[in-house]
Amino acid sequence: SKQSDKYVRLDGHNIYYSDSKKFKIANNADTSWSSATAKVNSVTVYKTEKGYTYGTKRGGKSVQGLLAINLTIKAIKDIETSMDSASVSIPNINEQHDIETKEDWDDIDKDISKTGTIYVPIYKLKNVNSIKSLRFKFDCNNQDTGDDVDNYEHTYDMNINLD
């Protein structure tokens, strides 16, 4: 089988894929925290080439797909974003994973919007229409520790439907 020339570049590797589908996500800005808003702009599902194994973090387990979640975070105050502990779960295929990202998400200053892409490997993916929804969780906190303690940190917990 001829390898396709379509790939996503991640973690120093080319991840080749045979099919992809982009879902535009409208009206899902999460304003549940007063220090920032988070919004998923789109989710792209990639069906990867056979036999691709990804990453030492997962012990090089072979993957059949990849998700790319394009996200914008707009800081209302100076914040820190912790993508290291972010996770994505996909209930209808019973998978949950840590994420990978090329961006440095750590500090976002007040009034700055940052847009980037979060990548999620998928072990079992029949085709690009297999994923019906996903849940994306990540933590943020205010840089100013003098802030109201109830408002200092926040976990975004976003449910995204793909249809």
Side-chain angles (χ1 to χ4, degrees):
S1 70
K2 180 187 158 298
Q3 191 172 51
S4 98
D5 53 1
K6 299 178 292 204
Y7 63 86
V8 175
R9 182 101 184 132
L10 186 61
D11 211 21
H13 296 95
N14 290 349
I15 302 174
Y16 289 91
Y17 62 91
S18 54
D19 196 10
S20 68
K21 184 169 183 179
K22 184 174 184 173
F23 298 88
K24 288 222 180 296
I25 310 295
N27 309 322
N28 77 321
D30 185 327
T31 57
S32 59
W33 189 40
S34 62
S35 299
T37 57
K39 181 181 180 320
V40 171
N41 304 306
S42 66
V43 175
T44 306
V45 181
Y46 296 97
K47 174 72 175 155
T48 53
E49 297 277 347
K50 276 193 173 53
Y52 181 76
T53 57
Y54 174 76
T56 48
K57 234 200 240 183
R58 291 165 194 82
K61 193 166 175 179
S62 95
V63 297
Q64 295 181 352
L66 188 70
L67 277 186
I69 301 170
N70 184 266
L71 172 75
T72 299
I73 298 173
K74 177 160 179 23
I76 297 165
K77 298 180 178 173
D78 291 352
I79 62 165
E80 286 170 17
T81 306
S82 174
M83 286 298 172
D84 293 345
S85 60
S87 70
V88 171
S89 56
I90 307 157
N92 75 292
I93 61 168
N94 194 37
E95 293 198 27
Q96 177 175 335
H97 297 287
D98 299 335
I99 63 102
E100 298 287 336
T101 183
K102 295 184 232 190
E103 276 84 25
D104 174 3
W105 287 95
D106 297 345
D107 296 336
I108 307 176
D109 290 346
K110 179 182 173 174
D111 296 330
I112 298 295
S113 282
K114 182 165 178 116
T115 298
T117 305
I118 306 295
Y119 295 93
V120 185
I122 298 175
Y123 295 146
K124 294 261 182 282
L125 185 72
K126 197 179 261 175
N127 61 56
V128 292
N129 296 304
S130 298
I131 294 174
K132 304 302 179 205
S133 67
L134 59 92
R135 182 177 177 193
F136 175 36
K137 296 195 322 199
F138 63 96
D139 296 328
C140 292
N141 58 264
N142 285 325
Q143 287 180 28
D144 179 2
T145 52
D147 259 19
D148 168 19
V149 74
D150 292 334
N151 204 27
Y152 173 66
E153 53 191 2
H154 182 74
T155 298
Y156 280 97
D157 187 347
M158 304 173 81
N159 288 289
I160 307 295
N161 290 314
L162 304 184
D163 41 27

